[in-house]
């Protein structure tokens, strides 16, 4: 597909004309011109939303699955209290500006009464088949002042024609239904999961497609823009749309993040994380992640809703790294967003508001090392005037320049925000931030955590630098290298209130539990019975031994002097592994699979060999957990078989299937089954995401 940069030249000319027209004739200064690709108006509106919500809800909710096979019983869909207005209000209270809804996930079940399939809400007991979830949510968004969008899975595990040319007509017919019946939409979302096993109208087989050609995306894109002229397209299914996936669902984009890709051709997954500096198409990154470990609702995740501190970290590593944040809120079995998710979302929005409530730049004097044509039109104070269409600029030949901010009285600060005027392109390649401390300039890069030390590179729409609180009367922002003269539209300086981080819970192979507060001045309180800890719970003073087959550890950190308390850290632990031994491999490194650490792993030599673990004694087993390797797709087990034995000779298969979405979301995978006596556990990797060596970070048995 050829990228559509329509009317960009006209827009740049109009902006330059308006800027020049506001100046006396004798003092006219030539306006900067665009450098490289620039965003469309659709992309600008999308970028300025910053945060919006995903809502995952389907038959998967009632089968406790992440990916449905396409054969799920329609009678399962009959929520007792479905309330789309509650969803919209919850998302709005969480600071979201819009909602993208899973109108059809991979199972093929349609959340609207599609005329082209029987596999939809029209044949369920809910509202006697007269309901339309898409319409109810579209109307709820309108009532709450939110923008609306839809997710339509290209992969359909139910449809008999999937993999054939006829399916493309079906797919486009459904797309037309969604994009012409429910009002204006800001985005359409196409998942990258394509082809594999499914029901397929009763065929129950595996079908493979060439995702780069099968869906005939260029024509589909043309139709989308005809039906919804103001929309942006997200696609990881073989043809780049207006936006890009960032290569992970963990909630972050690269600290260096160019809003650029090459016009044609796929790029390595690591390039999705960072963009392409010399890219010739504007394709900004969207960070999609869930407020829970999974995308669909699972009741066992009610206690695993991400904390406010984790969500703030995600915010800084998405919106604060030139991306947008697409945060998922799953709907539960009753048809509502769970109270835990609602409360955390609301607290998250309040924390964001508190962080940026008081911009210290309001009282700062700003001086530039150089200003374009010495004109007030591009003066240093444009970075604090609150107008997103004005900016500080240098002469065309100046790509190394600085702004110095001075306060009459010392300030306390720990956050620095900077924005480029991206309508004329993304320019800054490297910048530096310094503070005047103890009579000398100190580069704040030296104070950043290790993972952010290389973060002062690109800026783009918005860049937020977090650092420990300092007291200073001067800050200096220096553009060290840029593609062309820098255009800085806004700078903000803030003192963010401390957000208490949850303690870190760990247990070694011998069963010794340790709990570490992230702030050394905090006290830690914990429980072992699954209840929520308070300051009346046991206070952690030193590591302690545990035993048993299953344990739920919960802990909080409390800073009494400042009246602060963290969210609840949760760690579900299986059997103590003191007696365990990997007996299927002579390589001693195989024991890393059961060493209690989530930072050490092991690869089996080849496919076709099983992982067998001796538990040391015969016991009743009812569950298993697998943590895949964390450094790429190589070795991640997507399809498995789990067997148990009392003698390492006679085996019983207790579970077989797929770990849905494990590649994009490589978290702990949990299997439960009928309690079975066993001493030996055998894991057989049936299929890998990539490579031919099954990989394990850690396993648990309970």
């Amino acid at each position: 597909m050829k990228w559509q940069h329509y009317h960009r030249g006209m827009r740049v000319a109009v902006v330059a004309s308006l800027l020049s027209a506001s100046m006396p004739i004798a003092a006219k200064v030539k306006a900067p011109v665009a450098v490289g690709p620039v965003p469309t108006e659709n992309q600008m509106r999308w970028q300025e939303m910053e945060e919006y919500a995903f809502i995952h809800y389907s038959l998967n909710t009632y089968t406790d699955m992440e990916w449905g096979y396409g054969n799920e019983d329609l009678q399962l869909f009959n929520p007792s209290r479905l309330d789309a207005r509650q969803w919209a209000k919850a998302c709005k209270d969480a600071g979201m500006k819009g909602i993208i809804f899973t109108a059809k996930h991979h199972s093929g079940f349609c959340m609207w009464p599609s005329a082209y399939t029987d596999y939809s809400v029209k044949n369920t007991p809910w509202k006697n088949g007269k309901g339309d979830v898409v319409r109810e949510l579209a109307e709820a968004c309108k009532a709450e002042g939110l923008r609306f969008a839809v997710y339509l899975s290209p992969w359909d595990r139910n449809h008999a024609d999937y993999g054939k040319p006829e399916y493309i007509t079906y797919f486009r017919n459904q797309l037309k239904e969604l994009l012409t019946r429910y009002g204006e939409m800001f985005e359409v979302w196409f998942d990258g999961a394509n082809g594999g096993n499914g029901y397929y109208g009763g065929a129950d087989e595996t079908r493979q497609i060439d995702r780069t050609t099968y869906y005939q995306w260029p024509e589909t894109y043309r139709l989308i823009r005809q039906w919804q002229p103001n929309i942006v397209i997200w696609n990881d299914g073989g043809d780049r749309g207006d936006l890009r996936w960032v290569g992970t669902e963990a909630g972050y984009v690269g600290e260096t993040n160019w809003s650029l890709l090459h016009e044609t051709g796929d790029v390595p997954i690591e390039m999705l994380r960072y963009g392409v500096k010399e890219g010739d198409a504007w394709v900004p990154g969207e960070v999609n992640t869930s407020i829970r470990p999974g995308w669909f609702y699972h009741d066992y995740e009610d206690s695993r809703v991400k904390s406010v501190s984790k969500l703030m970290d995600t915010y800084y590593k998405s919106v604060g790294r030139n991306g947008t944040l697409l945060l998922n809120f799953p709907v539960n079995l009753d048809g509502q967003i769970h109270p835990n998710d609602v409360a955390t979302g609301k607290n998250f929005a309040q924390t964001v508001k508190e962080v940026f409530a008081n911009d210290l730049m309001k009282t700062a004097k700003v001086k530039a090392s150089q200003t374009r044509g010495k004109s007030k039109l591009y003066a240093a104070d444009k970075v604090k005037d609150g107008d997103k269409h004005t900016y500080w600029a240098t002469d065309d030949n100046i790509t190394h320049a600085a702004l110095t901010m001075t306060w009459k009285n010392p300030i306390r600060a720990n956050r620095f925000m900077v924005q480029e005027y991206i309508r004329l392109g993304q320019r800054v390649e490297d910048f530096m931030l310094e503070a005047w401390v103890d009579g000398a300039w100190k580069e704040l890069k030296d104070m950043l955590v290790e993972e952010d030390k290389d973060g002062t590179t690109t800026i783009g729409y918005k860049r937020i630098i977090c650092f420990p609180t300092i007291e200073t009367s001067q800050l200096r922002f220096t553009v060290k290298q840029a593609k062309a003269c820098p255009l800085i539209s806004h700078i903000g300086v803030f003192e963010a209130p401390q957000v208490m981080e949850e303690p870190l819970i760990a247990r070694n192979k011998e069963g010794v539990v340790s709990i570490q507060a992230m702030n050394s001045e905090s006290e830690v309180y914990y429980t072992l019975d699954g209840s929520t800890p308070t300051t009346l719970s046991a206070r952690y003073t030193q590591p302690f031994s545990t035993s048993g087959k299953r344990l739920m550890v919960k802990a909080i950190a409390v800073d009494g002097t400042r009246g602060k308390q963290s969210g609840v850290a949760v760690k579900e632990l299986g059997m103590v592994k003191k007696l365990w031994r990997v007996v299927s491999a002579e390589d001693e490194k195989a024991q890393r699979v059961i060493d209690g650490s989530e930072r050490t792993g092991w690869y089996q030599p080849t496919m076709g060999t099983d992982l067998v673990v001796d538990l040391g004694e015969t016991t009743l087993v009812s569950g298993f957990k697998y943590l895949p390797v964390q450094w790429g797709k190589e070795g991640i087990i997507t399809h498995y078989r789990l067997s148990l034995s009392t003698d390492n000779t006679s085996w019983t298969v207790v579970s077989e299937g797929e770990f849905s979405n494990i590649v994009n979301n490589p978290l702990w995978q949990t299997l439960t089954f009928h309690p079975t006596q066993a001493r030996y556990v055998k894991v057989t990797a049936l299929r890998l995401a990539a490579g031919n060596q099954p990989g394990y970070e850690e396993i648990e048995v309970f």
Side-chain angles (χ1 to χ4, degrees), residues 240-464:
R240 298 294 172 207
D242 301 307
L243 316 173
R244 77 174 195 270
W245 185 44
V246 297
T248 179
E249 294 175 355
Y252 67 92
V253 69
E255 61 277 0
T256 294
N257 180 21
W258 293 98
S259 294
L260 309 173
L261 285 182
H262 295 308
E263 184 173 311
T264 57
D266 286 336
V267 297
I269 193 168
E270 60 268 18
M271 299 308 295
L272 293 175
R273 192 163 300 171
Y274 303 109
V276 178
K277 176 183 172 182
E278 301 302 333
D280 53 10
W282 188 273
V283 195
E286 176 187 83
V287 178
N288 60 314
T289 194
S290 183
I291 199 168
R292 293 170 174 239
W295 289 95
F296 284 92
Y297 177 81
H298 309 285
D299 58 5
Y300 58 82
E301 292 182 351
D302 286 349
S303 63
R304 301 179 66 190
V305 176
K306 291 176 181 175
S307 65
V308 171
S309 64
K310 176 60 179 175
L311 291 176
M312 286 304 300
D313 182 65
T314 298
Y315 177 89
Y316 291 131
K317 292 177 179 177
S318 56
V319 177
R321 288 183 176 177
N322 186 37
T324 59
L325 173 57
L326 174 55
L327 181 62
N328 180 62
F329 291 82
V331 172
N332 67 18
L333 282 73
D334 290 340
Q336 299 200 3
I337 295 177
H338 193 277
N340 291 3
D341 307 58
V342 173
T344 300
K346 190 171 184 177
N347 290 338
F348 168 52
Q350 182 61 34
T351 303
V352 172
K353 184 177 180 180
E354 290 175 359
V355 168
F356 302 107
N358 180 28
D359 190 349
L360 299 171
M361 282 294 291
K362 294 176 182 177
T363 58
K365 290 186 177 181
V366 190
K367 182 179 179 181
S369 62
Q370 202 274 340
T371 298
R372 189 176 188 85
K374 299 181 180 180
S375 170
K376 291 183 179 180
L377 187 61
Y378 304 106
D381 61 3
K382 297 302 179 184
V383 302
K384 51 174 283 188
D385 66 1
D387 186 342
K388 65 181 181 180
H389 294 296
T390 63
Y391 47 86
W392 164 62
T394 64
D395 289 339
D396 286 338
N397 63 333
I398 303 296
T399 57
H400 186 292
L403 289 173
T404 302
M405 294 141 276
T406 304
W407 287 265
K408 184 177 180 180
N409 298 311
I411 61 164
R412 288 170 53 87
N414 52 27
R415 300 289 184 272
F416 181 84
M417 177 196 296
V418 58
Q419 297 182 263
E420 288 186 83
Y421 187 73
I422 60 172
R423 289 176 182 273
L424 295 179
Q426 186 178 356
R427 300 164 177 244
V428 177
E429 302 176 38
D430 191 16
F431 69 92
M432 177 171 62
L433 182 61
E434 301 168 284
W436 186 258
V437 179
D438 297 329
W441 286 109
K442 180 177 179 60
E443 187 175 357
L444 294 184
K445 182 177 181 179
D446 297 334
M447 303 174 64
L448 304 180
V449 296
E450 191 63 37
E451 63 183 37
D452 287 333
K453 285 191 180 297
D454 294 328
T456 54
T457 51
T458 54
I459 296 174
Y461 170 74
K462 180 175 287 187
R463 186 76 174 89
I464 301 172

Side-chain angles (χ1 to χ4, degrees), residues 573-645:
L573 302 169
M575 297 179 184
V576 173
K577 305 174 183 178
K578 186 175 182 178
L579 302 178
W580 291 20
R581 184 77 183 170
V582 175
V583 295
S584 56
E586 296 181 1
D587 183 1
E588 191 61 26
K589 292 180 180 178
Q591 307 307 321
R592 294 175 179 174
V593 173
I594 56 172
D595 64 1
S597 172
E598 297 180 11
R599 297 178 180 273
T600 60
W602 178 70
Y603 287 94
Q604 287 180 259
T606 183
M607 285 286 288
T609 58
D610 302 317
L611 176 73
V612 179
V613 177
D614 179 0
L615 304 180
E617 59 184 356
T618 300
T619 186
L620 200 62
V621 175
S622 60
F624 172 85
K625 292 173 66 177
Y626 161 63
L627 183 66
V629 287
Q630 300 291 298
W631 45 84
K633 295 169 60 175
E634 297 281 336
I636 292 181
I637 300 172
T638 59
H639 292 71
Y640 68 90
R641 180 184 301 124
L642 183 70
S643 308
L644 301 179
S645 173

Side-chain angles (χ1 to χ4, degrees), residues 506-514 526 528 543-553 573-578:
R507 185 179 69 174
N508 63 19
K509 186 175 180 180
E510 283 66 39
V512 177
V513 172
S514 59
Y526 69 95
L528 302 178
F544 55 89
S545 297
T546 59
S547 60
K549 300 178 181 179
R550 197 166 190 173
L551 185 66
M552 181 73 75
V553 183
L573 302 169
M575 297 179 184
V576 173
K577 305 174 183 178
K578 186 175 182 178

Side-chain angles (χ1 to χ4, degrees), residues 448-556:
L448 304 180
V449 296
E450 191 63 37
E451 63 183 37
D452 287 333
K453 285 191 180 297
D454 294 328
T456 54
T457 51
T458 54
I459 296 174
Y461 170 74
K462 180 175 287 187
R463 186 76 174 89
I464 301 172
I465 303 298
C466 304
F467 49 92
T469 303
I470 60 169
E471 187 171 294
T472 185
S473 59
Q474 291 187 86
L475 288 174
R476 185 165 64 191
F477 163 76
T478 303
V479 175
K480 298 170 65 178
Q481 188 172 342
K483 291 183 175 182
C485 63
L487 310 180
I488 305 300
S489 64
H490 178 71
I491 285 179
V493 178
F494 309 89
E495 183 186 7
Q498 181 187 22
V499 178
M500 293 288 290
E501 295 187 59
E502 296 75 32
L504 181 64
I505 304 170
R507 185 179 69 174
N508 63 19
K509 186 175 180 180
E510 283 66 39
V512 177
V513 172
S514 59
I515 310 176
Q516 179 185 355
M518 305 311 289
N519 184 334
S520 60
E521 299 176 359
S522 301
E523 291 187 332
V524 172
Y525 298 87
Y526 69 95
T527 61
L528 302 178
D529 59 2
S531 62
T532 301
T534 69
T535 53
L536 299 179
S537 304
R539 186 167 71 90
Y540 177 80
T541 57
Q542 62 184 9
F544 55 89
S545 297
T546 59
S547 60
K549 300 178 181 179
R550 197 166 190 173
L551 185 66
M552 181 73 75
V553 183
K554 295 186 177 182
I556 57 172

